[in-house]
Amino acid sequence: MTASVQDTRTDRLIRFGFLAAMLIFFALPIVYLFSTSFKTPDDVLQGRLLPEAATLKNYPNAFAHVPVMRMIWNSVAVALLSGVITLVIAVPATYATIKLGAFRRTVPNITLASYAAPPIIALIPLFYLLQTAQLMDSIPGLALVHGLMNLPVAFWLLKSFVSDIPAEIDEAAWIDGAGYWHTLFAVILPLIFPGILATALICIILSYNEFLFASALTFSEASRTITVGMSLFQGERLVNFGQMAAASFTGMVPIYLIAFLFQKHLVGGLTQGSIK
């Protein structure tokens, strides 16, 4: 009896130690970033975790020199709009491919190949396409690019949810006279809603953190995102690490807030599947 109790305590201590180590591992970069946002240039060069002489000037100076809040709003707008674009295309495409057998063999291979290719190879064609469509240097244009860029991710995430739905459900709806679109919206969407929500959150996070296309396809304050705005703190010979850390930490707040508020749906949607 005593040995069993000791084994249980030992197991708890091991689990607690493992979780504490994981928490420190993932939280340390954020803690260091937050600490750097209060450091003077001399403290930054010292490389210590905690500032020796903390300063509050980095936050007001960062907001004064660079329109941080405008860039954060641009990033949020692009991420949300791109998420809508991705789902509008990915949900019907996944249903048609998995359930209706449309291009069942070619579409998965094409989507996987497009995602495996380096994004930079599409930069020049996208530049000219957006310029021709008069969407260059605009939030809708960048959202369209991000929405199309995340289609492979959305397809492969939704694929398992749609595949888990028994074929009898679709057939019953068709026998009752429902068309393909009515079956999709009235029957399938409620069943795969956890997967749709989880997919949307992942695509929003990917769009919010994207840098390559945002840096090449936007160049004005009206459409520049926060990831691109971080480069504005770098001068020819000096990098304002304190102000950059302050802006970076502020830019992290919206996406971390979204992840915190919807973490139950995100984890549940990816782990439990669409049908219990």
Side-chain angles (χ1 to χ4, degrees), residues 49-68:
L49 176 61
L50 299 177
E52 183 177 352
T55 178
L56 299 176
K57 294 181 179 180
N58 288 327
Y59 282 89
N61 289 341
F63 281 69
H65 296 160
V66 176
V68 175

Side-chain angles (χ1 to χ4, degrees), residues 252-273:
M252 288 170 53
V253 172
I255 205 66
Y256 271 71
L257 186 61
I258 292 175
F260 176 77
L261 294 176
F262 295 96
Q263 61 177 334
K264 180 179 179 181
H265 302 283
L266 179 61
V267 176
L270 292 178
T271 57
Q272 295 179 6

Side-chain angles (χ1 to χ4, degrees), residues 31-48:
V31 173
Y32 189 83
L33 179 67
F34 181 71
S35 175
T36 304
S37 67
F38 295 98
K39 292 180 180 179
T40 63
D42 293 336
D43 279 338
V44 172
L45 295 178
Q46 294 297 327
R48 289 187 294 265

Side-chain angles (χ1 to χ4, degrees), residues 9-25:
R9 291 178 178 176
T10 302
D11 292 340
R12 290 180 179 176
L13 289 175
I14 293 175
R15 288 196 297 267
F16 178 79
F18 177 76
L19 292 176
M22 293 295 294
L23 179 61
I24 293 173
F25 177 79

Side-chain angles (χ1 to χ4, degrees), residues 191-263:
L191 295 176
I192 65 173
F193 180 76
I196 293 177
L197 184 57
T199 301
L201 292 173
I202 291 176
C203 291
I204 287 172
I205 293 173
L206 290 175
S207 175
Y208 190 89
N209 295 330
E210 199 277 328
F211 174 77
L212 176 64
F213 292 121
S215 63
L217 303 177
T218 61
F219 45 82
S220 68
E221 180 180 324
S223 58
R224 188 180 287 131
T225 61
I226 188 62
T227 55
V228 181
M230 293 301 98
S231 61
L232 300 180
F233 292 97
Q234 181 175 353
E236 295 182 359
R237 298 184 179 181
L238 178 65
V239 179
N240 295 313
F241 288 107
Q243 296 180 23
M244 183 182 292
S248 299
F249 188 81
T250 306
M252 288 170 53
V253 172
I255 205 66
Y256 271 71
L257 186 61
I258 292 175
F260 176 77
L261 294 176
F262 295 96
Q263 61 177 334

Side-chain angles (χ1 to χ4, degrees), residues 142-167:
L142 185 59
L144 179 62
V145 172
H146 285 182
L148 298 177
M149 177 186 66
N150 290 329
L151 277 177
V153 178
F155 176 82
W156 283 100
L157 289 175
L158 292 171
K159 179 176 178 291
S160 61
F161 291 95
V162 177
S163 300
D164 287 341
I165 299 178

